[in-house]
mmCIF file of all heavy atoms in Angstrom:
data_model
loop_
_atom_site.group_PDB
_atom_site.id
_atom_site.type_symbol
_atom_site.label_atom_id
_atom_site.label_comp_id
_atom_site.label_asym_id
_atom_site.label_seq_id
_atom_site.Cartn_x
_atom_site.Cartn_y
_atom_site.Cartn_z
ATOM 1 N N MET F 115 42.094 134.479 46.224
ATOM 2 C CA MET F 115 42.031 135.658 47.023
ATOM 3 C C MET F 115 40.706 135.725 47.742
ATOM 4 O O MET F 115 39.702 135.612 47.122
ATOM 5 C CB MET F 115 42.310 136.922 46.258
ATOM 6 C CG MET F 115 42.252 138.135 47.029
ATOM 7 S SD MET F 115 42.750 139.518 45.914
ATOM 8 C CE MET F 115 42.245 140.830 47.034
ATOM 9 N N ALA F 116 40.738 135.895 49.059
ATOM 10 C CA ALA F 116 39.447 136.001 49.653
ATOM 11 C C ALA F 116 39.091 137.441 50.123
ATOM 12 O O ALA F 116 40.013 138.152 50.639
ATOM 13 C CB ALA F 116 39.509 135.052 50.899
ATOM 14 N N LYS F 117 37.951 137.930 49.955
ATOM 15 C CA LYS F 117 37.515 139.251 50.466
ATOM 16 C C LYS F 117 36.589 139.060 51.486
ATOM 17 O O LYS F 117 35.643 138.116 51.389
ATOM 18 C CB LYS F 117 36.861 140.013 49.237
ATOM 19 C CG LYS F 117 36.409 141.386 49.630
ATOM 20 C CD LYS F 117 35.919 142.077 48.499
ATOM 21 C CE LYS F 117 35.389 143.474 48.890
ATOM 22 N NZ LYS F 117 34.773 144.166 47.733
ATOM 23 N N LYS F 118 36.725 139.665 52.588
ATOM 24 C CA LYS F 118 35.840 139.522 53.792
ATOM 25 C C LYS F 118 35.006 140.703 54.182
ATOM 26 O O LYS F 118 35.637 141.854 54.178
ATOM 27 C CB LYS F 118 36.642 138.876 54.876
ATOM 28 C CG LYS F 118 36.844 139.647 56.083
ATOM 29 C CD LYS F 118 37.561 138.786 57.108
ATOM 30 C CE LYS F 118 38.300 139.748 58.052
ATOM 31 N NZ LYS F 118 38.918 138.996 59.216
ATOM 32 N N SER F 119 33.883 140.481 54.415
ATOM 33 C CA SER F 119 32.923 141.525 54.846
ATOM 34 C C SER F 119 32.089 141.055 55.917
ATOM 35 O O SER F 119 31.376 139.944 55.650
ATOM 36 C CB SER F 119 32.116 141.980 53.677
ATOM 37 O OG SER F 119 31.065 143.037 54.203
ATOM 38 N N ILE F 120 32.083 141.462 57.124
ATOM 39 C CA ILE F 120 31.446 140.787 58.177
ATOM 40 C C ILE F 120 30.438 141.764 58.903
ATOM 41 O O ILE F 120 30.802 142.906 59.171
ATOM 42 C CB ILE F 120 32.520 140.295 59.213
ATOM 43 C CG1 ILE F 120 33.534 139.261 58.630
ATOM 44 C CG2 ILE F 120 31.846 139.699 60.500
ATOM 45 C CD1 ILE F 120 34.537 138.769 59.567
ATOM 46 N N ALA F 121 29.255 141.116 59.048
ATOM 47 C CA ALA F 121 28.225 141.940 59.854
ATOM 48 C C ALA F 121 27.899 141.047 60.994
ATOM 49 O O ALA F 121 27.810 139.881 60.863
ATOM 50 C CB ALA F 121 27.135 142.174 59.016
ATOM 51 N N THR F 122 27.539 141.653 62.039
ATOM 52 C CA THR F 122 27.138 140.962 63.303
ATOM 53 C C THR F 122 25.586 140.819 63.347
ATOM 54 O O THR F 122 24.991 141.892 63.168
ATOM 55 C CB THR F 122 27.686 141.585 64.536
ATOM 56 O OG1 THR F 122 29.104 141.711 64.406
ATOM 57 C CG2 THR F 122 27.330 140.828 65.708
ATOM 58 N N LEU F 123 25.161 139.704 63.567
ATOM 59 C CA LEU F 123 23.693 139.556 63.649
ATOM 60 C C LEU F 123 23.332 139.090 65.075
ATOM 61 O O LEU F 123 24.018 138.241 65.618
ATOM 62 C CB LEU F 123 23.161 138.412 62.581
ATOM 63 C CG LEU F 123 23.567 138.683 61.116
ATOM 64 C CD1 LEU F 123 23.298 137.454 60.270
ATOM 65 C CD2 LEU F 123 22.943 139.888 60.606
ATOM 66 N N GLN F 124 22.229 139.574 65.535
ATOM 67 C CA GLN F 124 21.765 139.117 66.860
ATOM 68 C C GLN F 124 20.392 138.439 66.675
ATOM 69 O O GLN F 124 19.481 138.933 66.039
ATOM 70 C CB GLN F 124 21.451 140.362 67.707
ATOM 71 C CG GLN F 124 22.738 141.107 68.101
ATOM 72 C CD GLN F 124 23.630 140.451 69.253
ATOM 73 O OE1 GLN F 124 22.922 139.517 69.858
ATOM 74 N NE2 GLN F 124 24.730 140.802 69.367
ATOM 75 N N SER F 125 20.372 137.185 67.286
ATOM 76 C CA SER F 125 19.120 136.486 67.278
ATOM 77 C C SER F 125 18.804 135.855 68.623
ATOM 78 O O SER F 125 19.391 134.814 68.901
ATOM 79 C CB SER F 125 19.072 135.485 66.162
ATOM 80 O OG SER F 125 19.999 134.404 66.450
ATOM 81 N N GLY F 126 17.988 136.506 69.390
ATOM 82 C CA GLY F 126 17.766 135.942 70.745
ATOM 83 C C GLY F 126 19.019 136.037 71.608
ATOM 84 O O GLY F 126 19.645 137.177 71.666
ATOM 85 N N SER F 127 19.461 134.985 72.165
ATOM 86 C CA SER F 127 20.699 134.973 73.004
ATOM 87 C C SER F 127 21.951 134.592 72.237
ATOM 88 O O SER F 127 23.047 134.612 72.755
ATOM 89 C CB SER F 127 20.520 134.062 74.185
ATOM 90 O OG SER F 127 20.253 132.762 73.763
ATOM 91 N N LYS F 128 21.723 134.006 70.981
ATOM 92 C CA LYS F 128 22.883 133.629 70.208
ATOM 93 C C LYS F 128 23.501 134.793 69.502
ATOM 94 O O LYS F 128 22.778 135.643 68.994
ATOM 95 C CB LYS F 128 22.567 132.514 69.160
ATOM 96 C CG LYS F 128 22.035 131.252 69.834
ATOM 97 C CD LYS F 128 21.718 130.245 68.841
ATOM 98 C CE LYS F 128 21.352 128.944 69.373
ATOM 99 N NZ LYS F 128 21.104 127.925 68.394
ATOM 100 N N ARG F 129 24.839 134.786 69.328
ATOM 101 C CA ARG F 129 25.382 135.835 68.556
ATOM 102 C C ARG F 129 26.064 135.178 67.304
ATOM 103 O O ARG F 129 26.852 134.164 67.431
ATOM 104 C CB ARG F 129 26.574 136.411 69.354
ATOM 105 C CG ARG F 129 27.311 137.523 68.550
ATOM 106 C CD ARG F 129 28.350 138.298 69.369
ATOM 107 N NE ARG F 129 28.919 139.171 68.505
ATOM 108 C CZ ARG F 129 29.894 139.964 68.797
ATOM 109 N NH1 ARG F 129 30.383 139.919 70.027
ATOM 110 N NH2 ARG F 129 30.342 140.860 67.961
ATOM 111 N N LEU F 130 25.598 135.566 66.119
ATOM 112 C CA LEU F 130 26.007 134.994 64.865
ATOM 113 C C LEU F 130 26.611 136.119 63.977
ATOM 114 O O LEU F 130 26.382 137.248 64.166
ATOM 115 C CB LEU F 130 24.755 134.466 64.135
ATOM 116 C CG LEU F 130 23.967 133.387 64.835
ATOM 117 C CD1 LEU F 130 22.700 133.157 64.030
ATOM 118 C CD2 LEU F 130 24.818 132.197 65.017
ATOM 119 N N THR F 131 27.514 135.636 63.066
ATOM 120 C CA THR F 131 28.224 136.455 62.252
ATOM 121 C C THR F 131 27.926 135.975 60.732
ATOM 122 O O THR F 131 27.900 134.794 60.486
ATOM 123 C CB THR F 131 29.723 136.462 62.493
ATOM 124 O OG1 THR F 131 29.898 136.852 63.878
ATOM 125 C CG2 THR F 131 30.467 137.477 61.590
ATOM 126 N N LYS F 132 27.754 136.868 59.819
ATOM 127 C CA LYS F 132 27.638 136.631 58.472
ATOM 128 C C LYS F 132 28.947 136.967 57.785
ATOM 129 O O LYS F 132 29.399 138.111 57.869
ATOM 130 C CB LYS F 132 26.588 137.441 57.788
ATOM 131 C CG LYS F 132 26.289 137.060 56.325
ATOM 132 C CD LYS F 132 25.095 137.738 55.791
ATOM 133 C CE LYS F 132 24.959 137.402 54.267
ATOM 134 N NZ LYS F 132 23.692 137.954 53.819
ATOM 135 N N ALA F 133 29.531 135.920 57.169
ATOM 136 C CA ALA F 133 30.842 136.088 56.400
ATOM 137 C C ALA F 133 30.543 135.943 54.925
ATOM 138 O O ALA F 133 29.926 134.951 54.601
ATOM 139 C CB ALA F 133 31.820 135.116 56.937
ATOM 140 N N ILE F 134 31.205 136.826 54.136
ATOM 141 C CA ILE F 134 31.110 136.747 52.713
ATOM 142 C C ILE F 134 32.417 136.624 52.143
ATOM 143 O O ILE F 134 33.338 137.444 52.406
ATOM 144 C CB ILE F 134 30.449 137.963 52.198
ATOM 145 C CG1 ILE F 134 28.987 138.065 52.785
ATOM 146 C CG2 ILE F 134 30.256 137.930 50.669
ATOM 147 C CD1 ILE F 134 28.417 139.438 52.574
ATOM 148 N N LYS F 135 32.601 135.614 51.247
ATOM 149 C CA LYS F 135 33.912 135.341 50.662
ATOM 150 C C LYS F 135 33.859 135.436 49.181
ATOM 151 O O LYS F 135 32.997 134.881 48.582
ATOM 152 C CB LYS F 135 34.420 134.037 51.149
ATOM 153 C CG LYS F 135 35.824 133.611 50.580
ATOM 154 C CD LYS F 135 36.279 132.292 51.344
ATOM 155 C CE LYS F 135 35.415 131.072 51.291
ATOM 156 N NZ LYS F 135 36.113 129.882 51.663
ATOM 157 N N MET F 136 34.889 136.067 48.540
ATOM 158 C CA MET F 136 34.889 136.207 47.099
ATOM 159 C C MET F 136 35.809 135.040 46.577
ATOM 160 O O MET F 136 36.950 134.968 46.943
ATOM 161 C CB MET F 136 35.449 137.515 46.625
ATOM 162 C CG MET F 136 35.234 137.725 45.199
ATOM 163 S SD MET F 136 35.516 139.476 44.752
ATOM 164 C CE MET F 136 37.219 139.692 44.961
ATOM 165 N N VAL F 137 35.202 134.175 45.663
ATOM 166 C CA VAL F 137 35.957 132.950 45.214
ATOM 167 C C VAL F 137 36.051 132.997 43.645
ATOM 168 O O VAL F 137 35.099 133.269 43.046
ATOM 169 C CB VAL F 137 35.262 131.605 45.639
ATOM 170 C CG1 VAL F 137 35.999 130.444 45.139
ATOM 171 C CG2 VAL F 137 35.022 131.631 47.167
ATOM 172 N N LYS F 138 37.292 132.699 43.178
ATOM 173 C CA LYS F 138 37.495 132.735 41.884
ATOM 174 C C LYS F 138 37.239 131.275 41.218
ATOM 175 O O LYS F 138 37.707 130.336 41.699
ATOM 176 C CB LYS F 138 38.985 133.212 41.512
ATOM 177 C CG LYS F 138 39.221 133.380 39.992
ATOM 178 C CD LYS F 138 40.668 133.971 39.741
ATOM 179 C CE LYS F 138 40.745 134.275 38.290
ATOM 180 N NZ LYS F 138 42.060 134.897 38.160
ATOM 181 N N SER F 139 36.471 131.233 40.140
ATOM 182 C CA SER F 139 36.137 130.002 39.547
ATOM 183 C C SER F 139 37.290 129.493 38.695
ATOM 184 O O SER F 139 37.832 130.313 37.961
ATOM 185 C CB SER F 139 34.881 130.136 38.628
ATOM 186 O OG SER F 139 34.692 129.018 37.788
ATOM 187 N N PRO F 140 37.676 128.210 38.848
ATOM 188 C CA PRO F 140 38.879 127.758 38.105
ATOM 189 C C PRO F 140 38.562 127.520 36.610
ATOM 190 O O PRO F 140 39.394 127.627 35.814
ATOM 191 C CB PRO F 140 39.174 126.367 38.803
ATOM 192 C CG PRO F 140 37.888 125.943 39.526
ATOM 193 C CD PRO F 140 37.221 127.219 39.831
ATOM 194 N N LYS F 141 37.313 127.333 36.215
ATOM 195 C CA LYS F 141 36.931 127.147 34.802
ATOM 196 C C LYS F 141 36.899 128.441 34.165
ATOM 197 O O LYS F 141 37.481 128.559 33.020
ATOM 198 C CB LYS F 141 35.526 126.466 34.744
ATOM 199 C CG LYS F 141 35.485 125.038 35.171
ATOM 200 C CD LYS F 141 34.120 124.420 34.982
ATOM 201 C CE LYS F 141 34.049 122.918 35.410
ATOM 202 N NZ LYS F 141 32.750 122.386 35.282
ATOM 203 N N THR F 142 36.094 129.434 34.597
ATOM 204 C CA THR F 142 35.841 130.623 33.826
ATOM 205 C C THR F 142 36.747 131.866 34.299
ATOM 206 O O THR F 142 36.837 132.827 33.496
ATOM 207 C CB THR F 142 34.365 131.137 33.909
ATOM 208 O OG1 THR F 142 34.124 131.398 35.298
ATOM 209 C CG2 THR F 142 33.500 130.022 33.416
ATOM 210 N N GLY F 143 37.219 131.777 35.461
ATOM 211 C CA GLY F 143 37.983 132.924 36.041
ATOM 212 C C GLY F 143 37.180 133.991 36.574
ATOM 213 O O GLY F 143 37.655 134.892 37.030
ATOM 214 N N ALA F 144 35.900 133.875 36.543
ATOM 215 C CA ALA F 144 34.939 134.825 37.076
ATOM 216 C C ALA F 144 34.862 134.694 38.594
ATOM 217 O O ALA F 144 35.147 133.618 39.236
ATOM 218 C CB ALA F 144 33.558 134.606 36.605
ATOM 219 N N TYR F 145 34.651 135.758 39.360
ATOM 220 C CA TYR F 145 34.429 135.725 40.800
ATOM 221 C C TYR F 145 33.034 135.629 41.202
ATOM 222 O O TYR F 145 32.171 136.133 40.573
ATOM 223 C CB TYR F 145 34.987 136.963 41.389
ATOM 224 C CG TYR F 145 36.452 137.062 41.401
ATOM 225 C CD1 TYR F 145 37.159 137.726 40.372
ATOM 226 C CD2 TYR F 145 37.295 136.493 42.331
ATOM 227 C CE1 TYR F 145 38.578 137.835 40.397
ATOM 228 C CE2 TYR F 145 38.630 136.549 42.380
ATOM 229 C CZ TYR F 145 39.313 137.179 41.397
ATOM 230 O OH TYR F 145 40.604 137.242 41.360
ATOM 231 N N THR F 146 32.817 134.658 42.250
ATOM 232 C CA THR F 146 31.589 134.554 42.813
ATOM 233 C C THR F 146 31.600 134.834 44.250
ATOM 234 O O THR F 146 32.692 134.762 44.844
ATOM 235 C CB THR F 146 31.001 133.097 42.562
ATOM 236 O OG1 THR F 146 31.831 132.122 43.213
ATOM 237 C CG2 THR F 146 30.758 132.740 41.148
ATOM 238 N N PHE F 147 30.491 135.035 44.934
ATOM 239 C CA PHE F 147 30.437 135.308 46.396
ATOM 240 C C PHE F 147 29.702 134.204 47.112
ATOM 241 O O PHE F 147 28.778 133.628 46.614
ATOM 242 C CB PHE F 147 29.686 136.607 46.660
ATOM 243 C CG PHE F 147 30.446 137.825 46.159
ATOM 244 C CD1 PHE F 147 30.059 138.409 44.871
ATOM 245 C CD2 PHE F 147 31.377 138.477 46.942
ATOM 246 C CE1 PHE F 147 30.814 139.477 44.406
ATOM 247 C CE2 PHE F 147 32.057 139.615 46.437
ATOM 248 C CZ PHE F 147 31.687 140.005 45.307
ATOM 249 N N VAL F 148 30.468 133.672 48.130
ATOM 250 C CA VAL F 148 30.037 132.663 49.032
ATOM 251 C C VAL F 148 29.733 133.206 50.384
ATOM 252 O O VAL F 148 30.587 133.797 50.880
ATOM 253 C CB VAL F 148 30.977 131.509 49.112
ATOM 254 C CG1 VAL F 148 30.415 130.405 49.941
ATOM 255 C CG2 VAL F 148 31.254 130.948 47.743
ATOM 256 N N SER F 149 28.530 133.062 50.833
ATOM 257 C CA SER F 149 28.238 133.595 52.179
ATOM 258 C C SER F 149 27.723 132.525 53.159
ATOM 259 O O SER F 149 27.087 131.599 52.642
ATOM 260 C CB SER F 149 27.149 134.797 52.106
ATOM 261 O OG SER F 149 25.949 134.352 51.602
ATOM 262 N N ALA F 150 27.921 132.781 54.400
ATOM 263 C CA ALA F 150 27.409 131.703 55.473
ATOM 264 C C ALA F 150 27.310 132.544 56.751
ATOM 265 O O ALA F 150 27.899 133.555 56.985
ATOM 266 C CB ALA F 150 28.496 130.716 55.582
ATOM 267 N N ILE F 151 26.310 132.058 57.555
ATOM 268 C CA ILE F 151 26.103 132.621 58.817
ATOM 269 C C ILE F 151 26.536 131.438 59.896
ATOM 270 O O ILE F 151 26.084 130.440 59.819
ATOM 271 C CB ILE F 151 24.541 132.905 59.013
ATOM 272 C CG1 ILE F 151 24.113 133.963 57.994
ATOM 273 C CG2 ILE F 151 24.259 133.328 60.431
ATOM 274 C CD1 ILE F 151 22.573 134.302 57.943
ATOM 275 N N MET F 152 27.397 132.050 60.819
ATOM 276 C CA MET F 152 27.998 131.089 61.675
ATOM 277 C C MET F 152 28.445 131.755 63.001
ATOM 278 O O MET F 152 28.297 133.040 63.119
ATOM 279 C CB MET F 152 29.352 130.536 61.047
ATOM 280 C CG MET F 152 30.339 131.506 60.792
ATOM 281 S SD MET F 152 31.620 131.011 59.625
ATOM 282 C CE MET F 152 30.778 131.121 58.135
ATOM 283 N N ALA F 153 28.951 130.979 63.862
ATOM 284 C CA ALA F 153 29.364 131.591 65.187
ATOM 285 C C ALA F 153 30.722 132.405 64.836
ATOM 286 O O ALA F 153 31.482 132.018 63.989
ATOM 287 C CB ALA F 153 29.648 130.527 66.212
ATOM 288 N N PRO F 154 30.985 133.396 65.660
ATOM 289 C CA PRO F 154 32.159 134.326 65.328
ATOM 290 C C PRO F 154 33.531 133.524 65.475
ATOM 291 O O PRO F 154 34.456 133.893 64.739
ATOM 292 C CB PRO F 154 32.150 135.425 66.480
ATOM 293 C CG PRO F 154 30.717 135.369 66.960
ATOM 294 C CD PRO F 154 30.111 134.064 66.757
ATOM 295 N N GLU F 155 33.528 132.474 66.167
ATOM 296 C CA GLU F 155 34.804 131.639 66.319
ATOM 297 C C GLU F 155 35.107 130.964 65.079
ATOM 298 O O GLU F 155 36.219 130.582 64.863
ATOM 299 C CB GLU F 155 34.618 130.660 67.481
ATOM 300 C CG GLU F 155 34.385 131.336 68.795
ATOM 301 C CD GLU F 155 32.858 131.523 69.169
ATOM 302 O OE1 GLU F 155 32.073 130.828 68.583
ATOM 303 O OE2 GLU F 155 32.562 132.544 69.775
ATOM 304 N N LEU F 156 34.173 130.624 64.249
ATOM 305 C CA LEU F 156 34.335 129.848 62.987
ATOM 306 C C LEU F 156 34.607 130.671 61.871
ATOM 307 O O LEU F 156 34.967 130.017 60.651
ATOM 308 C CB LEU F 156 33.073 128.962 62.753
ATOM 309 C CG LEU F 156 32.686 128.126 63.902
ATOM 310 C CD1 LEU F 156 31.373 127.331 63.546
ATOM 311 C CD2 LEU F 156 33.796 127.061 64.209
ATOM 312 N N VAL F 157 34.653 131.959 61.910
ATOM 313 C CA VAL F 157 34.842 132.817 60.657
ATOM 314 C C VAL F 157 36.159 132.641 60.095
ATOM 315 O O VAL F 157 36.382 132.525 58.851
ATOM 316 C CB VAL F 157 34.571 134.318 61.025
ATOM 317 C CG1 VAL F 157 34.871 135.189 59.923
ATOM 318 C CG2 VAL F 157 33.056 134.554 61.410
ATOM 319 N N ASN F 158 37.158 132.647 60.792
ATOM 320 C CA ASN F 158 38.566 132.434 60.289
ATOM 321 C C ASN F 158 38.818 131.200 59.501
ATOM 322 O O ASN F 158 39.429 131.119 58.419
ATOM 323 C CB ASN F 158 39.677 132.667 61.396
ATOM 324 C CG ASN F 158 39.804 134.125 61.814
ATOM 325 O OD1 ASN F 158 39.468 135.047 61.056
ATOM 326 N ND2 ASN F 158 40.192 134.278 63.055
ATOM 327 N N ASP F 159 38.213 130.043 60.065
ATOM 328 C CA ASP F 159 38.276 128.779 59.304
ATOM 329 C C ASP F 159 37.575 128.767 58.054
ATOM 330 O O ASP F 159 38.025 128.246 57.010
ATOM 331 C CB ASP F 159 37.735 127.645 60.231
ATOM 332 C CG ASP F 159 38.551 127.388 61.519
ATOM 333 O OD1 ASP F 159 39.834 127.664 61.462
ATOM 334 O OD2 ASP F 159 38.034 127.013 62.545
ATOM 335 N N PHE F 160 36.469 129.487 58.030
ATOM 336 C CA PHE F 160 35.635 129.666 56.766
ATOM 337 C C PHE F 160 36.405 130.434 55.717
ATOM 338 O O PHE F 160 36.444 130.032 54.549
ATOM 339 C CB PHE F 160 34.324 130.311 57.007
ATOM 340 C CG PHE F 160 33.523 130.655 55.904
ATOM 341 C CD1 PHE F 160 32.848 129.714 55.160
ATOM 342 C CD2 PHE F 160 33.361 131.968 55.524
ATOM 343 C CE1 PHE F 160 32.072 129.980 53.988
ATOM 344 C CE2 PHE F 160 32.633 132.335 54.274
ATOM 345 C CZ PHE F 160 32.045 131.259 53.645
ATOM 346 N N LEU F 161 37.114 131.481 56.126
ATOM 347 C CA LEU F 161 37.773 132.339 55.240
ATOM 348 C C LEU F 161 39.134 131.697 54.716
ATOM 349 O O LEU F 161 39.527 132.062 53.619
ATOM 350 C CB LEU F 161 38.081 133.667 55.801
ATOM 351 C CG LEU F 161 36.809 134.591 56.118
ATOM 352 C CD1 LEU F 161 37.144 135.798 56.845
ATOM 353 C CD2 LEU F 161 36.120 134.868 54.709
ATOM 354 N N GLU F 162 39.701 130.820 55.378
ATOM 355 C CA GLU F 162 40.904 130.154 55.141
ATOM 356 C C GLU F 162 40.705 128.985 54.153
ATOM 357 O O GLU F 162 41.645 128.610 53.366
ATOM 358 C CB GLU F 162 41.701 129.680 56.345
ATOM 359 C CG GLU F 162 42.273 130.748 57.186
ATOM 360 C CD GLU F 162 42.906 130.271 58.448
ATOM 361 O OE1 GLU F 162 42.862 129.039 58.655
ATOM 362 O OE2 GLU F 162 43.404 131.222 59.212
ATOM 363 N N LYS F 163 39.506 128.488 54.068
ATOM 364 C CA LYS F 163 39.249 127.336 53.091
ATOM 365 C C LYS F 163 39.233 127.881 51.781
ATOM 366 O O LYS F 163 38.853 128.970 51.456
ATOM 367 C CB LYS F 163 37.956 126.709 53.396
ATOM 368 C CG LYS F 163 37.754 125.827 54.590
ATOM 369 C CD LYS F 163 36.386 125.216 54.527
ATOM 370 C CE LYS F 163 35.869 125.009 55.958
ATOM 371 N NZ LYS F 163 34.494 124.483 55.904
ATOM 372 N N LYS F 164 39.623 127.010 50.699
ATOM 373 C CA LYS F 164 39.637 127.371 49.339
ATOM 374 C C LYS F 164 38.428 126.663 48.619
ATOM 375 O O LYS F 164 37.990 125.753 49.006
ATOM 376 C CB LYS F 164 40.890 127.046 48.639
ATOM 377 C CG LYS F 164 42.035 127.862 49.172
ATOM 378 C CD LYS F 164 43.255 127.792 48.304
ATOM 379 C CE LYS F 164 44.257 128.782 48.602
ATOM 380 N NZ LYS F 164 45.285 128.885 47.639
#
């Protein structure tokens, strides 16, 4: 299950988005958060990956 929280970041003329995904560990069952800063067009691909 992925949880998404998106904030828009501005840096100069580039528009970037920070995406945070909650990932369940297969070993322990604990949830961890994975975050990345990317272009807004790539957010859906990032969230669909397991």
Side-chain angles (χ1 to χ4, degrees):
M115 179 175 167
K117 180 179 181 179
K118 110 178 157 175
S119 173
I120 297 179
T122 302
L123 305 172
Q124 294 281 345
S125 65
S127 62
K128 293 184 180 179
R129 182 171 177 185
L130 300 173
T131 302
K132 181 175 184 180
I134 303 170
K135 177 170 56 170
M136 192 166 70
V137 180
K138 188 172 185 178
S139 171
K141 290 184 180 179
T142 63
Y145 285 96
T146 59
F147 292 95
V148 178
S149 64
I151 297 175
M152 64 194 76
E155 301 84 31
L156 303 175
V157 172
N158 287 335
D159 293 334
F160 172 74
L161 294 173
E162 289 175 358
K163 286 188 211 173
K164 288 193 173 190

